Amino acid sequence: MPAIGSIQLPEFPLLLAPMEDVSDPPFRAVCKDNGADLMYSEFISSEGLIRDAIKSKKKLDFTEEERPFGIQIFGGDEEAMAMSARICETVNPDLVDINFGCPVKKVVSKGAGAGVLKDIDLMVRLTEAVIKSTKLPVTIKTRLGWDDNTKNIEEVAQRMQDIGVQAISIHGRTRAQLYKGEADWTLIGKVKNNPRITIPVFGNGDIDSPQKAKAYKEKYGIDGIMIGRAAIGYPWIFREIKHFLNTGEILPAPTLEERVAVCKKHLDRSIDWKGPIVGINEMRRHYTNYLKGLPGIKDFRMKLVTLTTPEAINEVLDEISEHYKNYSFERTPIELIDYHQNCPL
């Protein structure tokens, strides 16, 4: 079974990817309920943490039930990365993860995220600075390379392991690809099957079904899978993959009762964490995904995104339960949406 430092993971762990403006504590809670084994904060600017930026500090929040839990940081300055790792350590997460994968221009232009893929020596220095500043295990998430001409992930993995990185998650695209085309797992498999590599290697990119998870597990031999966009509005993806790997059976699609229950829990957690105004407003973007497939849902959805009290929203969710009580969901492919222009890792 893979381990990250003293963190013992299940035989084939499923990781929830850190996604900006998505993988906050309310969303992580419903993913944990459905089988996510290891989760991360949204990615956090090292410089923002040092400046004591309110939004950055808020992202450090997590609950005991989320463990094992990692905080992910990004930046292009060694001193700032070291200082931010020490700040992360004060809230006692299980590990610190470094983002070398975000392809968004505003991050890359600062020499951070996937921008560091153009300078592997800098990547080494930044990572060493973090490792030396904390007693926590340090892991990284990255991509295959900057573009098709610089797919240097094999070198990156070896050098990261040599300086003390304890696990690596690899997204099967280059920075130049952003999220276009199909993720290429061939190099992920090469990294995992390199006899020099002894740390856990987790694959990421385009896993949207139990069948694909099983096929990639067997074909590439990776230690686990990181799932991002497929979990948005569909946290059941984790339990479905686990069940299929254990039994070879595909679970039925989640029922209306399950979908409404998750909506309510997500809403409650959102309000608890963000307050009633922000919590209700930010929950609005999730209803479409949770209730996707219900015929004629538009009118109900319009109510959900305009109401301003939890009591009124829960009343509408109860109306939905009653109105569609005899509806059976068909299993349809999960759509990997480009949910915003920030940094879907």
Side-chain angles (χ1 to χ4, degrees), residues 1 24 58-59 73 86 102 106 116 145 176 194 235 243 263 273 284 290 294 318:
M1 293 188 290
D24 55 17
K58 185 74 171 171
K59 290 179 181 179
I73 58 176
R86 288 194 287 271
C102 182
K106 66 181 182 182
V116 186
N194 180 344
H243 186 80
C263 273
W273 189 58
R284 289 171 177 170
Y290 283 136
L294 290 171
D318 289 338

Side-chain angles (χ1 to χ4, degrees), residues 71-92:
I71 293 176
Q72 189 187 74
I73 58 176
F74 75 96
D77 178 80
E78 295 165 50
E79 184 177 356
M81 289 290 281
M83 290 179 65
S84 65
R86 288 194 287 271
I87 294 170
C88 291
E89 196 173 49
T90 64
V91 300
N92 195 30

Side-chain angles (χ1 to χ4, degrees), residues 47-65:
E47 294 181 357
L49 269 183
I50 293 168
R51 291 195 307 268
D52 200 31
I54 293 174
K55 184 175 181 181
S56 294
K57 294 278 283 188
K58 185 74 171 171
K59 290 179 181 179
L60 294 175
D61 290 352
F62 70 97
T63 63
E64 285 298 309
E65 68 185 22

Side-chain angles (χ1 to χ4, degrees), residues 241-262:
I241 290 174
K242 287 187 171 183
H243 186 80
F244 186 68
L245 290 177
N246 290 331
T247 68
E249 299 172 349
I250 297 293
L251 285 172
T255 64
L256 176 63
E257 182 181 14
E258 290 176 301
R259 293 168 193 255
V260 170
V262 167

Side-chain angles (χ1 to χ4, degrees), residues 25-71:
F27 179 72
R28 297 196 304 258
V30 297
C31 289
K32 186 71 172 183
D33 285 347
N34 284 280
D37 295 304
L38 174 60
M39 299 184 292
Y40 303 84
S41 67
E42 300 170 72
F43 81 143
I44 303 173
S45 164
S46 56
E47 294 181 357
L49 269 183
I50 293 168
R51 291 195 307 268
D52 200 31
I54 293 174
K55 184 175 181 181
S56 294
K57 294 278 283 188
K58 185 74 171 171
K59 290 179 181 179
L60 294 175
D61 290 352
F62 70 97
T63 63
E64 285 298 309
E65 68 185 22
E66 294 183 65
R67 293 189 187 275
F69 179 77
I71 293 176

Side-chain angles (χ1 to χ4, degrees), residues 56-57 60 79 124 170 185 199 214 218 247 260 345:
S56 294
K57 294 278 283 188
L60 294 175
E79 184 177 356
V124 170
I170 306 170
W185 282 56
I199 59 174
K214 184 175 188 292
E218 294 174 351
T247 68
V260 170
L345 298 180

